[in-house]
Amino acid sequence: MTEALPHRSYASLSAAELQFGQPLHETHPHLLKPGELTPGITALEYAQRRSNLASKLPKNGIALLAASELKYRSGPVFYEFHQDSDFFYLTGFNEPEAVAIIGKSTGEEDHVFHLFVRAKDPKVEQWEGSRSGTRAALDVFNADESGDIKDIEKSLSRIIREASEVYTDVSPSTTPTSALSRLFTSRSPPKSNALSKILEPATVKPLRSILNDLRNMKSDAEIANMRKAGQASGRAFTEAMRQAWTTEKDLNAFLEYTFKRNGCDASAYVPVVAGGRNASQIHYVRNDDVLLDNDLVLADAGGEYGNYITDITRTWPVSGHFTPPQKDLYNAILATQRKCISLCRASASNSLDKIHQIAEETLRDSLAGLGFDMSGNALETLFPHHLGHYIGLDVHDTPGQSRQAPLQAGQCVTVEPGLYIPDTDRWPAAFRGIGIRIEDSICVQEDHPLVLTTEAVKEIEDIEALRS
């Protein structure tokens, strides 16, 4: 049984009548402003996103998206919930076990929005916390039609039957732990699960490329959220550089705590805190070693605000002062980063791949000047990763998006050159075992880049001055 309203209603429920499954302005005015559905993003912007998606669909076409499910560490012990980014982008709904269907309308409205969620259940909510419920799906999240996720199969069959084409990236799960996953999977062969049967008569196409194009261009509100995350995280890095650290674990704990204290909701990803040779492991996350005075420490971390992330890497001396070889290598990377950031503007018509090539050329020349033998695969060994990636709701945003297209105003990217010198005879002895990366989050603008993480200091004189 579904509920429907003839027109969208924005506030017929009050906080006094109902508790919700996520913060709203009525319940958490210290977190959200009037009109915001999630921090920094208004209900109107979410509606516009759905409208933009619908405009890309054929007549009577629909997009089908599923929320993330709660994942379990062991038994009843669950991991912290994190919403599917595509689902969140279009709905702002931040609970598990939900399905959104957005269709291109033939009526007065430009799209129709169906949102199926968990129904209110006082007994369950006493244990698991509040749910928003089906009525809030209509009145708060502005769906045209809502219903209990447990009863979705009949409604979904009808909607798909009436659609000309179905765009979706939903794939069968392997662990049917909920009403939603039981729809998308079975213990029989994949084609026998309920969703596959429902989709059998439909023309099904991937949604990924359409959503990538929408999500890749950030609104002013999205950029503001990323700037808040970048500012708070950058300040945390600078605070960390002021202090002496003896273990990776303590520095890791300080950064994660300070991100939150400065206004972020959480860490955007598992931090890398790598002292000495550990920095040569690109995604070293054990963070359990000691920090030695003669070494550098590389920290790759960032907070998130309203689900929008920031991505920062800084490398600094544990003692507070660079040795001459550390300084030479650091300056080579910093000069490369400065040059590449300056190219992150739409008017320059550079792609991420092109800027990566420029970074390679600049680093190759700098290393040759420091006495490195740059023949053969030297640069690939010393600089093994790409210069940058797109960022937004995800650390590696819009998966599959080409890095060959010219950057456009409104895109957000990282710029992160790094060098990791193996401890072998091929390389100059003074530099062996050193790993350095410098990374900032950047918003591309028409004539100049906007550095979202500028509060994290990176000039050598500024880093050393913090401990003077």
Side-chain angles (χ1 to χ4, degrees), residues 146-444:
S146 180
D148 188 340
I149 191 66
K150 290 181 179 179
D151 303 324
I152 187 178
E153 194 166 338
K154 183 181 293 185
S155 296
L156 188 58
S157 296
R158 170 182 56 81
I159 295 168
I160 289 176
R161 198 165 52 245
E162 295 172 355
S164 60
E165 294 178 355
V166 178
Y167 288 76
T168 186
D169 298 316
V170 172
S171 60
S173 165
T174 56
T175 51
T177 57
S178 68
L180 176 58
S181 63
R182 283 192 292 274
L183 172 67
F184 294 154
T185 191
S186 73
R187 299 195 181 276
S188 305
K191 287 301 289 182
S192 69
N193 70 59
L195 181 63
S196 293
K197 289 181 179 178
I198 293 170
L199 288 173
E200 274 179 2
T203 300
V204 180
K205 295 185 177 180
L207 182 58
R208 173 83 278 135
S209 62
I210 296 175
L211 271 178
N212 274 358
D213 289 343
L214 295 176
R215 283 179 52 189
N216 201 236
M217 305 303 297
K218 304 300 187 285
S219 69
D220 289 345
E222 291 178 289
I223 294 167
N225 274 7
M226 295 176 73
R227 177 70 183 108
K228 285 182 180 179
Q231 184 179 62
S233 302
R235 287 173 176 168
F237 268 87
T238 298
E239 290 180 59
M241 289 184 219
R242 293 182 190 278
Q243 303 183 39
W245 302 98
T246 58
T247 68
E248 295 169 347
K249 180 181 73 173
D250 288 348
L251 175 53
N252 179 22
F254 177 85
L255 286 170
E256 293 201 278
Y257 163 72
T258 311
F259 293 158
K260 288 187 177 182
R261 189 195 68 190
N262 288 354
C264 290
D265 301 322
S267 288
Y269 51 95
V270 178
V272 173
V273 181
R277 286 177 171 80
N278 295 335
S280 292
Q281 302 173 37
I282 310 300
H283 287 158
Y284 169 89
V285 293
R286 281 173 45 185
N287 304 345
D288 60 2
D289 213 340
V290 295
L291 296 174
L292 303 177
D293 271 353
N294 291 332
D295 284 339
L296 299 171
V297 58
L298 182 156
D300 183 341
E304 68 177 35
Y305 176 78
N307 280 28
Y308 286 86
I309 70 93
T310 197
D311 195 352
I312 305 174
T313 306
R314 291 292 184 267
T315 310
W316 68 93
V318 175
S319 67
H321 295 278
F322 289 85
T323 66
Q326 290 170 350
K327 187 176 291 188
D328 287 341
L329 207 59
Y330 188 95
N331 276 330
I333 297 167
L334 182 59
T336 301
Q337 200 219 21
R338 283 201 209 99
K339 182 175 184 177
C340 292
I341 288 176
S342 73
L343 298 173
C344 292
R345 46 192 169 85
S347 58
S349 298
N350 287 307
S351 66
L352 274 176
D353 278 353
K354 176 61 176 176
I355 299 174
H356 176 79
Q357 292 172 7
I358 293 169
E360 287 183 319
E361 294 165 5
T362 306
L363 288 173
R364 184 181 288 108
D365 291 344
S366 296
L367 289 168
L370 292 174
F372 282 74
D373 174 6
M374 298 306 296
S375 62
N377 67 342
L379 190 63
E380 183 182 342
T381 299
L382 301 176
F383 179 34
H385 57 78
H386 202 283
L387 177 77
H389 52 83
Y390 300 106
I391 52 174
L393 285 171
D394 292 315
V395 178
H396 286 258
D397 209 41
T398 57
Q401 189 88 6
S402 173
R403 289 189 271 207
Q404 297 178 349
L407 293 173
Q408 301 177 61
Q411 292 179 319
C412 295
V413 299
T414 64
V415 175
E416 48 181 307
L419 292 170
Y420 316 90
I421 316 302
D423 191 5
T424 64
D425 292 342
R426 176 173 178 180
W427 315 108
F431 300 103
R432 294 174 194 165
I434 296 177
I436 299 173
R437 184 165 64 254
I438 307 172
E439 175 183 22
D440 283 288
S441 296
I442 311 295
C443 178
V444 179

Side-chain angles (χ1 to χ4, degrees), residues 76-106:
V77 181
F78 50 84
Y79 290 104
E80 185 175 5
F81 177 73
H82 186 79
Q83 187 59 280
D84 176 84
S85 295
D86 290 332
F87 188 91
F88 184 85
Y89 177 81
L90 293 167
T91 68
F93 189 76
N94 209 19
E95 297 179 42
E97 294 187 59
V99 167
I101 304 166
I102 298 159
K104 187 161 191 172
S105 176
T106 56

Side-chain angles (χ1 to χ4, degrees), residues 34-105:
E36 290 180 349
L37 193 55
T38 61
I41 310 296
T42 64
L44 185 61
E45 179 159 334
Y46 282 107
Q48 185 60 52
R49 293 173 181 180
R50 294 190 292 272
S51 178
N52 291 342
L53 171 61
S55 72
K56 307 285 186 182
L57 300 176
K59 184 179 179 181
N60 291 325
I62 64 170
L64 170 66
L65 303 99
S68 295
E69 293 205 55
L70 198 60
K71 293 180 172 61
Y72 289 85
R73 179 169 178 165
S74 64
V77 181
F78 50 84
Y79 290 104
E80 185 175 5
F81 177 73
H82 186 79
Q83 187 59 280
D84 176 84
S85 295
D86 290 332
F87 188 91
F88 184 85
Y89 177 81
L90 293 167
T91 68
F93 189 76
N94 209 19
E95 297 179 42
E97 294 187 59
V99 167
I101 304 166
I102 298 159
K104 187 161 191 172
S105 176

Side-chain angles (χ1 to χ4, degrees), residues 451-468:
V451 181
L452 301 169
T453 48
T454 187
E455 283 75 13
V457 302
K458 59 184 178 183
E459 301 294 333
I460 285 179
E461 55 269 30
D462 293 334
I463 292 172
E464 293 187 334
L466 292 171
R467 296 275 294 280
S468 296

